[in-house]
């Protein structure tokens, strides 16, 4: 690396040049008990070099930190810092297996906040202040502003809130990322200004994160691409779910509820979500837009097929192939996308105003339409609630998708009662599995149960669900239940490995 | 009644005079299978004369309707129409014992929608159109606009959506109510304009509901005051809850999180809520404002004590004494309050922008901070979720209050696992009982459990809750549970009448 060039091209405020240090030195700024906010959201735009310096440092000096991120970050952060015993508390979304294990063992305290909420809590001082923010940057502007890389996440709010800032200038992140961010931080309440995003392509902020340069205490130089994600390929089940989604929208357009451009789409991440979005490639809709958290593989296919006009998000979540496609055609794709702080990508005000169609994945759902997004067996966390709560409560239409069975049919995703509730029946408009679609709008719980069992449950479990429902009906109530049997399926699985062996 | 005067004073569009009919005639417009939207929210501003005409009509001709309201309405509507077998479906909030019984028996299909959502579903045609809207009015303006009475609720959206409108001009509702409403209906999505309420006293609409006068098919004249509510008086427990709330805010102000004016307050209804609000009379805070659903007794005490500057709501919920106080000093109180459509009083955009402090009542809460607002024993509905979901997800601070025990201690309001989840742990910042306060902000579930048990549970149940929690800890997980025992307290109560007999 040529430090002279770095200074000229990437650090455009000359007075900051003397802040460039080796990672080991920057790591020494982090001490026991600190709250550290780092950039990164769904493994994009996270810091690349300081985590290693921290895990090396612990050999000389024991310390623990409270770690805040945008959302999930690379294994080298969550996994390695967990193994080194550095993380005392972690907030918000995560998806790393090592960290997950530590959380479920009670070794790391995990606070699973709605993704739009972290910045609010910080700016209201409702949670401890960020001692040091560590932010990956494409560049630092002439006035000291930080140009983010492939995610914005909570970076702008961390910078605002932090006492000190360390910047990682990542030379592997192309210059041309500059200009694709729109940084706006809501003003203080109770006298907050309206957030004037009126369509996904509204620009209301700056291209960089405004910073008091005095707060930048160190700059380190990295040169490493973002970690790609791995995705299961589409299969007959994800394709069936996608088909149900598209058929549903065709019907909504036909009866005049939506135009052929639909409303802006929001989508959760992962294999099923990608399959559903790809369903829009061969559909009669056009000029689609997205107002979502992440830009995933399928979004590039939608742009390339000229179905999708514009996508607003806070980060990328891409496989290697699509990272290459994106970065290889950055100037083209930049015209169709922008990245905002996650407080804006997930803001209730904007979600409600734009009338989003929110499509998220359920771990399990029950016959009344309650959804568990987070807890296996009601106790062990999988990834976290992410933005699903921000979107589901405030969207125009809230859709949850899931395969009706997993684990070779030993687990039914449709159960009598979910073992953990993240989204109550009040928030779930449609439930879709590969078996079919339950349109729950305007239905009472007893009606919801019938349509969920009939349309969404796998044949393996349909009779047992009906048995439960009819037994519950004998007990009466708005939401009939047999409380002593409500979790018997989960107990059967825990004891026998098969929910059918109740 | 002198019809000549009515026409001049109350119906200011002369061409509508010939629409005045006897209630029996207007009732004949309502036929089997219709969807009827009526005015009324927490028993204020509901229709007074047509319900009786409908229950009389059923003796001659059987019919059933789908009934939509703002929220709860007087017994003469929900109770009498239920007894007459007229209600097939009911939406959203209700609180009538007769209707409740019919709902829990499965005789009436009850759709418990968030209160801000009903108007959205209607304007998007996601639920069936209103065939006839029946709206209580103070007056009809020169251009045919309907001036509401003591609630706005869903009236404006019902009128917008309805094919036909019947107006009840209520001579018992004073002329001077005119001017205290601010009617604004959000524009259509996805190109909706920002809703420019920037403080509780922002006026963004008209004083009347704009109407196409052609849609007014009948006008009936009534002369009857709103039904007063009955309230239990404050006691040592409600006073203790109120004290905890006030002490909490003193602390928040002391450490600089809030100013002495706090943020705008939202409060649920009822005896406990009134006691909590009265706590603000003798407090060091000043120039308080409210952005809430309802104006209840205690709000008048706060205005009279000059603690409360302004209250925005959608309706009143008053005992007889306070109805008399309000209507006897209408011109004075009008300066301190306005009524909006419930879509605006409960709008996520405004709730988040103003940074509301939301205080609502829980039926039960669990050790992790999940809240049940609606279902007794997990199955039988009490009243409905009301606006608690609108406020709790989007507020600056979400507080749930409840007495730690009810039914002479045979029921603990703090349980291992709530039998029905309306508000998940993600949305509950503070849980307060007469025993104390659990500040759950920034805590992981295992930490939440400790502080909820220690601070909120009644001594009768503290050991048993700790036993459950420690047994659950042995099973591990982010949210430890013993699924087979999670509802054992509810089962014990069902079988023995005492939760302690597990």
């Amino acid at each position: 690396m040529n430090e002279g060039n770095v200074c000229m091209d990437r650090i455009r405020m000359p007075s900051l040049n003397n802040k460039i240090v080796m990672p080991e030195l920057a790591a020494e700024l982090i001490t026991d008990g600190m709250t550290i906010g780092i950039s990164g959201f769904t493994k994009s735009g996270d810091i690349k070099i300081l985590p290693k310096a921290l895990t090396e440092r612990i050999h000389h000096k024991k310390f623990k930190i409270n770690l805040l991120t945008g959302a999930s970050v690379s294994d080298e952060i969550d996994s390695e810092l967990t193994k080194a015993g550095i993380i005392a508390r972690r907030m918000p979304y995560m998806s790393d297996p090592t960290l997950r294990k530590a959380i479920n063992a009670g070794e790391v305290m995990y606070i699973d906040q709605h993704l739009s909420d972290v910045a609010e809590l910080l700016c209201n001082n409702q949670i401890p202040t960020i001692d040091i923010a560590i932010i990956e940057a494409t560049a630092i502007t002439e006035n000291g502003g930080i140009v983010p890389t492939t995610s914005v996440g909570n970076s702008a709010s961390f910078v605002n809130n932090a006492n000190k800032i360390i910047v990682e200038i990542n030379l592997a992140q192309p210059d041309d990322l500059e200009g694709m961010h729109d940084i706006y931080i809501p003003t203080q309440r109770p006298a907050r200004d309206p957030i004037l995003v009126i369509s996904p392509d509204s620009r209301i902020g700056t291209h960089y994160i405004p910073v008091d340069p005095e707060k930048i205490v160190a700059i380190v130089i990295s040169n490493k691409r973002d970690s790609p994600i791995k995705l299961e390929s589409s299969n007959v089940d994800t394709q069936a779910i996608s088909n149900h989604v598209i058929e549903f929208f065709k019907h909504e357009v036909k009866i005049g509820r939506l135009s052929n451009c639909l409303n802006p789409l929001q989508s959760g991440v992962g294999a099923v979500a990608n399959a559903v979005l790809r369903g829009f490639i061969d559909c009669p809709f056009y000029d689609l837009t997205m107002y979502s958290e992440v830009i995933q593989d399928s979004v590039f296919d939608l742009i390339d097929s000229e179905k999708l006009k514009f996508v607003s998000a806070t980060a990328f979540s891409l496989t290697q192939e699509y990272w290459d496609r994106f970065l290889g055609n950055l100037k083209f794709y930049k015209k169709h996308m922008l990245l905002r702080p996650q407080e804006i990508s997930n803001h209730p005000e904007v979600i409600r105003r734009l009338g989003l169609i929110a499509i998220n994945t359920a771990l399990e759902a029950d016959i009344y339409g309650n959804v568990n997004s987070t807890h296996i067996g009601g106790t062990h966390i999988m990834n976290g609630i992410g933005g699903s709560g921000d979107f589901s409560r405030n969207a125009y239409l809230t859709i949850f998708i899931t395969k009706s069975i997993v684990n070779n049919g030993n687990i039914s995703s449709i159960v009598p009662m979910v073992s953990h509730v993240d989204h109550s029946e009040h928030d779930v408009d449609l439930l879709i599995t590969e078996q079919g679609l339950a349109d729950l709008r305007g239905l009472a719980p007893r009606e919801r149960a019938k349509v969920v069992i009939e349309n969404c449950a796998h044949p393996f479990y349909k009779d047992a669900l009906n048995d439960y429902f009819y037994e519950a009906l004998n007990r009466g109530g708005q939401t009939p239940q047999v409380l002593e049997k409500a979790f018997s399926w989960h107990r059967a699985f825990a004891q026998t490995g098969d929910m059918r062996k109740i």
Side-chain angles (χ1 to χ4, degrees), chain A:
Chain A
M1 126 187 106
N2 181 329
E3 244 178 50
N5 284 351
V6 172
C7 298
M8 249 189 319
D9 301 344
R10 300 281 192 142
I11 305 174
R12 305 203 294 263
M13 185 181 222
S15 61
L16 287 175
N17 286 339
N18 63 2
K19 299 286 171 68
I20 300 176
V21 297
M22 294 305 288
E24 302 74 42
L25 222 63
E28 283 179 18
L29 295 167
I30 288 137
T31 57
D32 191 48
M34 275 190 169
T35 296
I36 307 296
I38 64 172
S39 66
F41 193 108
T42 53
K43 302 193 182 186
S44 60
D46 49 10
I47 54 174
K48 309 289 191 294
I49 201 163
L50 268 178
K52 194 157 183 287
L54 288 175
T55 51
E56 279 169 9
R57 183 161 169 251
I58 199 145
H59 299 306
H60 314 296
K61 192 171 173 64
K62 296 281 167 217
F63 65 100
K64 278 187 178 285
I65 61 170
N66 307 319
L67 183 65
L68 278 68
T69 63
S72 52
V73 286
S74 72
D75 298 348
E76 283 119 52
I77 304 176
D78 271 338
S79 184
E80 296 304 320
L81 294 187
T82 301
K83 281 182 206 157
I86 293 176
I87 308 177
R89 308 174 72 76
R90 176 74 171 76
M91 182 183 191
Y93 188 83
M94 64 84 219
S95 65
D96 177 78
T98 307
L99 174 56
R100 181 184 301 139
K101 208 174 152 192
I103 289 170
N104 284 323
E107 293 155 15
V108 171
M109 291 294 105
Y110 174 56
I111 301 102
D112 187 22
Q113 209 74 31
H114 297 301
L115 291 183
S116 76
D117 260 357
V118 179
E120 298 278 22
L121 289 169
L122 277 175
C123 79
N124 299 325
N125 299 313
Q126 295 193 82
I127 53 176
T129 303
I130 303 282
D131 293 298
I132 300 184
I134 314 176
I135 308 294
E136 182 178 88
T138 304
I140 296 177
T141 65
E142 291 74 4
N143 57 1
I146 293 173
V147 180
T149 60
T150 45
S151 69
V152 179
N154 279 319
S155 296
S157 287
F158 288 165
V159 160
N160 257 2
N161 187 259
N163 295 315
K164 294 176 182 174
I165 300 161
I166 299 173
V167 180
E168 276 199 10
I169 298 281
N170 186 346
L171 303 178
Q173 299 280 22
D175 291 354
D176 281 335
L177 287 171
E178 195 165 343
M180 76 175 297
H181 312 97
D182 186 62
I183 309 297
Y184 178 87
I185 297 290
T187 52
Q188 278 288 332
R189 299 179 290 181
R192 176 176 287 179
D193 297 321
I195 296 166
L196 295 176
V197 174
I198 53 163
S199 73
D201 61 355
S202 293
R203 282 195 169 270
I204 61 170
T206 54
H207 288 186
Y208 54 86
I209 302 169
V211 185
D212 170 6
E214 293 291 315
K215 295 209 302 193
I216 298 178
V217 291
I219 298 173
V220 297
I221 311 294
S222 68
N223 193 343
K224 189 165 183 243
R225 292 267 296 266
D226 285 317
S227 317
I229 60 155
K230 286 189 177 61
L231 274 182
E232 283 174 50
S233 53
S234 176
N235 59 33
V236 60
D237 287 339
T238 56
Q239 193 52 50
I241 293 172
S242 176
N243 292 348
H244 294 310
V245 171
I246 299 298
E247 286 307 311
F248 167 75
F249 284 115
K250 282 185 188 167
H251 178 256
E252 293 293 292
V253 170
K254 192 174 164 194
I255 62 173
R257 284 196 190 126
L258 288 168
S259 80
N260 263 311
C261 308
L262 306 183
N263 280 20
L265 299 166
Q266 175 268 332
S267 165
V269 292
V272 185
N274 268 296
V276 166
L277 286 179
R278 284 208 177 88
F280 286 94
I281 294 173
D282 294 311
C283 75
F285 318 126
Y286 50 80
D287 284 352
L288 298 173
T289 58
M290 290 187 74
Y291 194 84
S292 199
E293 268 170 24
V294 296
I295 300 174
Q296 46 195 330
D297 288 5
S298 51
V299 174
F300 288 90
D301 298 330
L302 285 169
I303 292 172
D304 290 349
S305 65
E306 298 185 1
K307 279 288 169 187
L308 185 72
K309 223 170 49 170
F310 201 88
V311 53
S312 163
T314 192
F316 292 89
S317 176
L318 300 177
T319 60
Q320 191 60 57
E321 179 192 345
Y322 283 82
W323 272 124
D324 294 340
R325 196 199 290 191
F326 167 49
L327 296 175
N329 298 275
L330 183 48
K331 281 186 181 164
F332 167 74
Y333 287 119
K334 245 171 99 172
K335 288 182 269 182
H336 296 280
M337 50 183 62
L338 64 73
L339 299 181
R340 309 177 186 278
Q342 70 193 71
E343 194 187 333
I344 306 296
S345 67
N346 289 32
H347 203 289
E349 172 173 343
V350 183
I351 292 166
R352 187 74 161 233
R353 179 183 303 141
L354 302 185
L356 296 198
I357 293 165
I359 307 174
N360 290 287
T361 308
L363 264 186
E364 65 176 2
D366 67 28
I367 56 175
Y368 297 112
N370 299 288
V371 164
N372 173 7
S373 301
T374 54
H375 282 67
I376 307 273
T379 53
H380 285 61
I381 195 123
M382 188 64 200
N383 295 338
I385 194 168
S388 58
D390 295 320
F391 292 105
S392 64
R393 178 69 45 91
N394 298 311
Y396 158 88
L397 195 69
T398 295
I399 302 174
F400 279 94
I401 53 178
T402 181
K403 293 183 192 181
S404 70
I405 49 172
V406 288
N407 205 354
N408 296 318
N410 293 335
I411 294 175
S412 174
S413 305
I414 310 296
V415 292
M417 182 190 264
V418 287
S419 55
H420 181 92
V421 177
D422 291 294
H423 310 290
S424 80
E425 53 119 349
H426 307 281
D427 293 325
V428 183
D429 294 319
L430 268 90
L431 187 63
I432 301 179
T433 69
E434 82 290 347
Q435 298 293 319
L437 175 155
D439 185 348
L440 305 174
R441 292 173 292 179
L443 298 189
R446 288 166 186 241
E447 299 169 312
R448 296 167 78 103
K450 283 182 196 157
V451 64
V452 168
I453 296 172
E454 186 54 33
N455 296 3
C456 297
H458 193 278
F460 288 173
Y461 289 93
K462 213 173 257 191
D463 288 346
L465 286 168
N466 272 319
D467 289 348
Y468 178 87
F469 179 54
Y470 287 111
E471 187 177 351
L473 278 177
N474 287 329
R475 309 248 180 127
Q478 159 82 348
T479 307
Q481 301 281 7
V482 186
L483 283 192
E484 68 273 24
K485 294 187 178 176
F487 298 139
S488 57
W489 296 26
H490 300 88
R491 296 208 308 276
F493 180 78
Q495 285 160 7
T496 71
D498 190 339
M499 275 193 174
R500 284 166 292 196
K501 294 181 179 160
I502 44 172

